[in-house]
Amino acid sequence: MAARILIAEDHPASLELLRYLLAANGYDILSAEDGEAALDLARRDRPDLIICDLQMPKKNGYEVVRQLKSEPVLAAIPVVAVTAFSMIGDREQVLAAGFDGYLSKPIEPEQFVALIEQYLPPSLRQQHGGQ
Amino acid sequence: MPDQVDYRWIADDPDALMMLDHAGTVLEWNDGAERMFGYSRTEAVGTRVHELVTVPGSEAEQDHFIAETTERGRGTFEALRRRNDGTLMYVVISGKVGQGAPDELYLLFSEKDVTQLKVQRDSKSLESKFRELLDSMPDGIVIVNPTGHILIANRQAERLFGYDRDELRARPVEDLLPLRFRNAHKGHRSHYFSAPRTRAMGAGLELYGLRKNGTEFPVEISLSPLKTEETPVVMSAIRDVSERRGFEQALQEKNLELLAANRAKDRFLASMSHELRTPLNAVIGFTGTLLMKLPGELNSEQTRQLEIVRNNARHLLALINDLLNLAKIEAGKVELNFEPTDCGALVGEIAASLRPQALSKGLELIVAMPVEAIVFETDRRALSQIVINLVGNAIKFTLHGSVRIDLALDDSGEKCRFVLSVSDTGPGIGEQELASLFEAFVQGQASRTKGVEGTGLGLHLSRKLAALLGGELSCTSAPGTGSVFTLTLPEP
């Protein structure tokens, strides 16, 4: 069974891009356009990986990751920030806030899937992993 | 207790009268003494005179009055006395010995307040000696005696405080202070006279003067103790600092404004960066998915046009990055971290990462450096950015031949210098272009004619970074001979 990835992203074009790239590589995609919806989906569907924007309505990415990491059944799910905040110091701030990884926008589509897959266990990787 | 003495005369006397025993303990204290010194008869009787009116530190003088009066039967003295509220005054004392019981002698002191007399007398004496000298000084000068009276004030002081000529003479110096400071000042003043020392301008707290018309103004005051023949005095020079305080306050407000503006600018830069990248993410991303042929096959013309879109989108991204970097440098927001850096290794890594680009154009990329490691204290990130820029430019603008990086430590001068040069066999740069080469958005002829794309900010940024590192970036070139860019960094 393909790994499930939850994408929390409020910018429609960015959401579509990430969804398209990952779906094209065989992943099951769940998506949410605000922080609260992302948390609800995470609790209901327990995805294998969460990709999270920082600037979102209702709950921003920092609040989402704090909540996820505080709930024992969700804390183990890797959460990667994909954000257009890429000034000096942003990466450090993101990792310090509890995210497992940081990728800056604009993403490089040729490398994106490989970079994201590093946060999945090899057995769940479609491209560069186990099978 | 000599109870056979007739005390009626004592009560009536306008002067202060006190009866003491030989140890200086008060036996009797009249209404005049009560008025003059502020202690009631009940407080005074049975207390030693030292603890009542003697100025601390001059107990020996008081003992001397008692001894001399006892010895000679009578005596006249001049002394400084202290009231119970701390005020000092000059008195003239006449003492005599009286007899109570046949074997009981007592001392009778009659004391007259001569402060005003003495102030007038001392003032006249100082006037004749110092008036001309003091009027020639630029600051307001006030000379004050131990009782806190102004003996002399120069013209500048009179003008400063808004008084007419000679109007300040003999006034309590506290008249020149706002009400709320007066009591504390009296305390400071008697303290000062017990341990006088020079205090320079500006060494004090925020002080204020009070003009005759009731307005206040900020002052700076210096104090110098002086010994005159008549009395110890303190000379204070007073300066109106309203204007300077005004400037200081304006400056402080301006600083706060600038700080706020700077924070707003930081927030603006961060938002701008975010807002510009978000749409570019979709442009670069979907161009990429198309070129990856994820949605389906492309013909060669479609591929070519999409590549143009992608190159231009990347160019726009580079421009945004350069502009933000530049804005950060201009705002002084670049944090440098000077540490010993293996510059040879650093340049080697950069050359390795750019070599494929050079090889794809058929260019040779040569790195020439001494065998021993070149370790130099600098900021690694800034140095990398400059070198990547210079080598990247050289590869971009050179069509045939080679790009060569030379690096060395030059310790021939006083300070060791790190010298790195990037030479190419490109088209070279004309004199006119050379003059404005490091300005923003100025690109060489080559980029315009050969369609080579740069942001027009790379050299401008590199030179700014070089300056941040304390060094220089320069270029020598001529059309047809290639170009040499030289980065020189002094040891920090």
Side-chain angles (χ1 to χ4, degrees):
Chain A
M1 201 181 86
R4 276 188 307 181
I5 299 179
L6 167 61
I7 306 171
E9 168 67 77
D10 68 320
H11 186 249
S14 291
L15 175 58
E16 190 181 336
L17 174 66
L18 300 182
R19 182 211 296 277
Y20 183 85
L21 271 171
L22 291 167
N25 280 276
Y27 289 100
D28 274 353
I29 304 303
L30 304 164
S31 66
E33 296 189 21
D34 67 66
E36 278 177 12
L39 282 172
D40 289 344
L41 269 182
R43 289 185 189 115
R44 202 189 69 196
D45 290 341
R46 309 275 173 84
D48 298 299
L49 176 78
I50 298 172
I51 289 173
C52 191
D53 188 15
L54 289 184
Q55 190 174 289
M56 284 187 296
K58 295 189 186 169
K59 273 194 166 63
N60 68 29
Y62 288 113
E63 291 168 300
V64 169
V65 79
R66 194 182 317 131
Q67 190 59 42
L68 287 171
K69 295 301 177 188
S70 74
E71 294 183 24
V73 289
L74 303 176
I77 303 175
V79 188
V80 180
V82 176
T83 172
F85 283 110
S86 65
M87 306 274 275
I88 291 172
D90 285 338
R91 170 189 293 273
E92 290 70 19
Q93 194 183 330
V94 159
L95 296 180
F99 284 95
D100 298 281
Y102 166 95
L103 293 175
S104 75
K105 289 178 194 167
I107 60 160
E108 283 293 340
E110 288 85 351
Q111 285 125 46
F112 181 74
V113 174
L115 288 173
I116 282 295
E117 284 184 337
Q118 290 177 3
Y119 298 96
L120 281 173
S123 60
L124 290 177
R125 293 176 191 167
Q126 296 290 330
Q127 285 233 315
H128 310 269
Q131 298 114 317
Chain B
M1 195 62 195
D3 51 5
Q4 53 272 75
V5 178
D6 180 6
Y7 296 113
R8 278 168 306 178
W9 62 270
I10 291 187
D12 294 344
D13 204 288
D15 291 339
L17 292 174
M18 56 185 88
M19 191 187 286
L20 308 178
D21 67 13
H22 292 283
T25 305
V26 175
L27 302 174
E28 197 47 76
W29 186 262
N30 79 338
D31 294 349
E34 250 186 62
R35 279 192 300 273
M36 198 182 293
F37 299 118
Y39 294 100
S40 70
R41 179 173 178 277
T42 332
E43 285 173 287
V45 171
T47 310
R48 293 195 71 202
V49 71
H50 282 172
E51 287 150 37
L52 297 169
V53 296
T54 306
V55 176
S58 53
E59 288 82 2
E61 188 189 52
Q62 177 64 37
D63 292 340
H64 165 76
F65 295 160
I66 292 175
E68 189 154 315
T69 306
T70 308
E71 192 181 317
R72 299 198 184 164
R74 57 181 59 248
T76 307
F77 317 97
E78 191 179 279
L80 205 54
R81 289 296 200 208
R82 193 184 60 168
R83 275 180 61 89
N84 69 341
D85 63 3
T87 315
L88 300 183
M89 66 184 84
Y90 285 106
V91 294
V92 168
I93 307 167
S94 60
K96 63 181 180 182
V97 180
Q99 176 129 32
D103 54 347
E104 255 185 358
L105 293 178
Y106 58 89
L107 300 160
L108 198 63
F109 285 108
S110 162
E111 310 202 351
K112 188 189 287 290
D113 181 352
V114 294
T115 307
Q116 283 304 319
L117 272 174
K118 184 165 166 59
V119 166
Q120 293 294 342
R121 201 176 60 206
D122 292 347
S123 168
K124 263 189 201 123
S125 154
L126 285 180
E127 280 277 342
S128 65
K129 285 185 216 160
F130 299 127
R131 162 59 69 186
E132 224 175 309
L133 175 73
L134 293 183
D135 280 349
S136 74
M137 297 179 59
D139 288 326
I141 307 276
V142 166
I143 292 182
V144 176
N145 76 352
T147 59
H149 291 88
I150 297 172
L151 298 183
I152 181 168
N154 71 352
R155 296 282 170 261
Q156 285 81 327
E158 288 167 353
R159 254 201 306 276
L160 208 54
F161 289 94
Y163 285 85
D164 290 335
R165 215 182 160 98
D166 286 338
E167 223 186 336
L168 278 173
R169 185 203 297 193
R171 275 183 187 260
V173 68
E174 276 77 24
D175 282 3
L176 302 181
L177 269 65
L179 227 65
R180 62 186 185 282
F181 296 125
R182 287 185 186 172
N183 273 332
H185 188 263
K186 282 181 194 166
H188 293 321
R189 186 156 50 72
S190 44
H191 203 74
Y192 184 85
F193 271 101
S194 64
R197 64 199 164 84
T198 302
R199 198 187 70 187
M201 278 273 180
L205 311 160
E206 288 205 355
L207 302 171
Y208 292 89
L210 180 72
R211 293 196 192 88
K212 192 184 177 188
N213 66 12
T215 55
E216 288 184 22
F217 61 106
V219 292
E220 246 176 33
I221 293 182
S222 70
L223 298 177
S224 331
L226 285 181
K227 277 234 156 65
T228 66
E229 277 169 45
E230 295 81 12
T231 175
V233 295
V234 57
M235 181 172 89
S236 30
I238 304 152
R239 198 172 285 172
D240 182 349
V241 292
S242 314
E243 200 175 68
R244 209 187 62 208
R245 286 277 165 81
F247 287 149
E248 282 168 359
Q249 201 177 348
L251 202 64
Q252 208 178 2
E253 281 164 15
K254 201 81 216 163
N255 271 338
L256 287 177
E257 263 173 48
L258 283 175
L259 205 67
N262 238 333
R263 285 201 192 115
K265 195 171 165 184
D266 285 354
R267 274 197 303 274
F268 176 76
L269 280 180
S271 313
M272 189 174 80
S273 166
H274 184 267
E275 296 311 307
L276 292 174
R277 278 168 208 277
T278 300
L280 259 187
N281 187 43
V283 175
I284 292 178
F286 281 115
T287 316
T289 55
L290 286 171
L291 282 166
M292 286 158 79
K293 299 174 184 165
L294 292 177
E297 280 305 315
L298 297 171
N299 66 33
S300 62
E301 185 56 22
Q302 286 168 335
T303 303
R304 196 184 72 82
Q305 291 185 10
L306 279 171
E307 273 167 358
I308 293 174
V309 173
R310 181 166 63 182
N311 285 343
N312 277 278
R314 283 188 178 151
H315 178 74
L316 187 55
L317 179 62
L319 207 53
I320 292 167
N321 287 338
D322 281 359
L323 274 172
L324 288 170
N325 277 329
L326 197 61
K328 252 182 294 174
I329 293 177
E330 300 284 2
K333 293 289 170 199
V334 176
E335 281 173 30
L336 295 178
N337 181 21
F338 282 85
E339 57 186 2
T341 304
D342 185 342
C343 299
L346 183 84
V347 171
E349 284 165 28
I350 293 170
S353 72
L354 293 176
R355 187 160 282 117
Q357 210 178 311
L359 290 175
S360 73
K361 290 182 74 178
L363 301 175
E364 204 181 349
L365 180 60
I366 306 156
V367 181
M369 62 177 117
V371 188
E372 63 271 20
I374 297 181
V375 177
F376 191 75
E377 199 167 305
T378 192
D379 178 84
R380 193 182 167 86
R381 205 163 56 190
L383 179 61
S384 305
Q385 208 171 337
I386 299 171
V387 177
I388 290 172
N389 224 315
L390 294 180
V391 177
N393 273 350
I395 295 172
K396 201 153 47 180
F397 293 110
T398 305
L399 297 178
H400 313 284
S402 64
V403 171
R404 180 188 164 96
I405 310 168
D406 286 273
L407 63 162
L409 281 182
D410 170 12
D411 48 11
S412 61
E414 252 178 61
K415 266 187 160 183
C416 182
R417 299 186 311 160
F418 170 77
V419 184
L420 176 140
S421 63
V422 178
S423 327
D424 63 49
T425 56
I429 302 161
E431 205 176 327
Q432 238 181 334
E433 280 173 17
L434 211 50
S436 57
L437 193 63
F438 291 97
E439 286 168 26
F441 299 116
V442 171
Q443 282 176 288
Q445 190 76 17
S447 63
R448 287 195 296 273
T449 53
K450 308 275 194 258
V452 181
E453 295 257 355
T455 62
L457 286 170
L459 285 177
H460 184 64
L461 250 175
S462 297
R463 178 171 267 190
K464 296 253 176 204
L465 285 170
L468 276 183
L469 295 178
E472 300 178 352
L473 180 61
S474 61
C475 175
T476 52
S477 182
T481 65
S483 309
V484 183
F485 286 83
T486 306
L487 171 72
T488 311
L489 301 177
E491 211 169 30

